[in-house]
Amino acid sequence: MKKAEYMSEKKKNDILRKLITYNSMLSGYIYSLAEDWAVVEEALQETAVYMCEHWKDFTPGTDFGAWARTVAHMRCREVLHREGRQDRIRKSVSIHIPDNVWEEYSVYPAEKKQALTECIQAVGKKSREIIRLRYEEGKSCGTISRILKKSVDAVYMALSRIRQALKKCVEEKLSGDTV
Amino acid sequence: MNKFSYFSFLMEKYFDGSINADERAVLREMIGEEAGFQKLFVEHATQESNLRSILKKQKETAPVSASRRRTARYHTKKKQFLWAWAAAAAAMLFAAAGFFIVSYSPDGAGKEGIIAQRPQKGIKPPKETASSSSPDVKKPGHYPHIKYGLGHQGGDSGTGPGDPSGEGSRIVGAPGAGSMTGTTIGRGKGRGLLFSRDFSQYSEGTTPTGLSVSRENGASVETVETVRVLHVYPGCTVRAGILAWKDYTAEIECKALPEGEEDFSFHIRTMNGQKYYSFRIRGAEKKALLYRKSGNSEKELRSIQFEAAADTWHTLRASAVGNTLSLHIDGNEVMLYDGVEWLNGYIRIQTGSSCDLLIKRLAVAETNKKK
């Protein structure tokens, strides 16, 4: 009896740990459905609540990511339905992306996250300012363009370059090279 | 721009939330066509989420930078500045409202008084006296540069502390026995003078400024028996001063008609139309009385025998010092009451329903004013 309880508790903890690990992928996935970061936060919270309440539904050894995405998809649909925007899912750009692609990027290891954090600190002053405005302040690219007195397209391109640089930096860090 | 760059550009727009329908359709098509773009899209989506969570966390845990502290200080100061302005504006509004309420009491005298004070067409504006060229109503102590004389210009034998030279500094009580024909407050310059009107200096038909009359044409300057006076018609109330007046002496030089049937009141420390002390002269009863009016109750506090001399201008001086009220008629203290409940208020003159009051002069001076 005690062993069964222990196993149940262990299973529950494993699910929670996985959920945290899959958090980035789930956020991106929900965004690809809803195209709204506010909906992402709400749906993600409801996904976490649902998975904590129904952790027994998950069968160990099966695809956790698929289960998580299914739950997230349902919760996102509910949130959008409450707001009368359920059509968003049907028009989603990610409709053609197969599950295996999502699964490939589902786990974002802690060391990778640490590397990304360090790389953010290492970028140039101008890039750092764009990142700060975009992600810390949550400003749109249009607003950033007005603040930095640049065109919106230039901001998009700058962000794209920064993203490439960060990706390269993280890869280099994880491969043991120093930047 | 190559296909990859364009795809990156579209993804930036997509995750910025500013992609349009056409661009979304292109992006969707590109993702559907090539597996590479699918991977790029998912990679971009997860990186976007990570960047958001990392920088959000950094923002929450990072110490406040110097520039942000400066910004915060600026906003704090700005807020304080705005609050200070708001408080100052509110205080000014409050003061203005208070002054308005004080100046125009709810007994109805004020509203009509405003109407009565409006210059009428064809009437020459009043010529102000030297003393009345100063503001109409002043709070106590607003005339520090003006000396005033309480002395007896007529040289009567006052026993009070009045200054016979006319250069005295304060009004304290009555000059004692003896007439006051020569007289007194409001004549000449005076320190502590709160209000003064010599109606002989005003044009006929006008109502001098600073006076509130309870009804239109209820009181105006007229020439009666070759004397220019303020004629207060029967059943009318004239008011002067403000609620903040505390210790003061108010004096009028007057004659009531018809003789032998005088009926008028001199209100002092009037809080409103329902709360005041009233010295009342009733010729028919040959009495001078003091009433306290408070709400619906009116209580007789003092009563003396008094008979006005025929065809004579009398000087009534009502004083309020602390909790003491006194009435002097023609220089004689005729009434004293110790037990006043409220310590401030303006003055009013009220005529009975069949009494005309003619006032040559009205003056109010602060009492117990130190040198």
Side-chain angles (χ1 to χ4, degrees), chain B residues 47-58:
Chain B
Q47 194 188 46
E48 184 83 8
S49 304
N50 279 313
L51 283 169
R52 281 179 177 273
S53 65
I54 289 166
L55 286 154
K56 203 174 175 182
K57 196 176 177 183
Q58 279 184 359

Side-chain angles (χ1 to χ4, degrees), chain B residues 300-312:
Chain B
E300 187 183 302
L301 302 172
R302 292 283 185 274
S303 174
I304 58 154
Q305 288 293 318
F306 171 75
E307 186 175 358
D311 197 22
T312 305

Side-chain angles (χ1 to χ4, degrees), chain A residues 100-116:
Chain A
N100 65 318
V101 179
W102 285 109
E103 197 56 41
E104 195 178 332
Y105 293 92
S106 59
V107 179
Y108 205 87
E111 57 268 28
K112 201 173 176 182
K113 206 164 190 174
Q114 179 60 34
L116 181 62

Side-chain angles (χ1 to χ4, degrees), chain B residues 147-320:
Chain B
K147 291 181 178 178
Y148 85 102
L150 175 63
H152 308 278
Q153 292 173 0
D156 296 300
S157 56
T159 54
D163 186 350
S165 67
E167 295 296 320
S169 61
R170 60 179 185 159
I171 299 169
V172 186
S179 71
M180 288 185 60
T181 50
T183 207
T184 69
I185 317 170
R187 289 256 171 98
K189 296 169 182 176
R191 181 187 290 176
L193 189 67
L194 299 172
F195 187 86
S196 175
R197 292 290 180 273
D198 185 348
F199 300 110
S200 65
Q201 304 297 314
Y202 286 82
S203 304
E204 280 195 51
T206 60
T207 304
T209 55
L211 295 176
S212 295
V213 185
S214 62
R215 59 182 165 84
E216 202 167 0
N217 302 319
S220 60
V221 174
E222 291 175 10
T223 302
V224 181
E225 300 168 355
T226 69
V227 181
R228 188 73 60 83
V229 295
L230 179 73
H231 186 169
V232 184
Y233 287 90
C236 184
T237 305
V238 176
R239 182 202 137 167
I242 59 172
L243 200 62
W245 282 1
K246 285 187 175 176
D247 293 346
Y248 57 87
T249 296
E251 189 177 88
I252 53 169
E253 197 174 346
C254 64
K255 184 197 278 188
L257 299 170
E259 289 176 346
E261 291 180 27
E262 302 91 349
D263 182 15
F264 69 94
S265 304
F266 195 4
H267 298 177
I268 194 166
R269 284 195 176 162
T270 310
M271 300 291 284
N272 54 53
Q274 296 295 314
K275 193 175 181 181
Y276 51 82
Y277 287 94
S278 167
F279 291 109
R280 190 168 181 180
I281 307 296
R282 289 185 65 86
E285 298 172 18
K286 296 183 174 59
K287 276 185 178 178
L289 306 109
L290 173 63
Y291 288 98
R292 185 194 65 212
K293 171 85 171 172
S294 182
N296 292 325
S297 72
E298 191 175 54
K299 188 180 178 183
E300 187 183 302
L301 302 172
R302 292 283 185 274
S303 174
I304 58 154
Q305 288 293 318
F306 171 75
E307 186 175 358
D311 197 22
T312 305
W313 289 91
H314 297 281
T315 302
L316 267 67
R317 176 186 279 198
S319 293

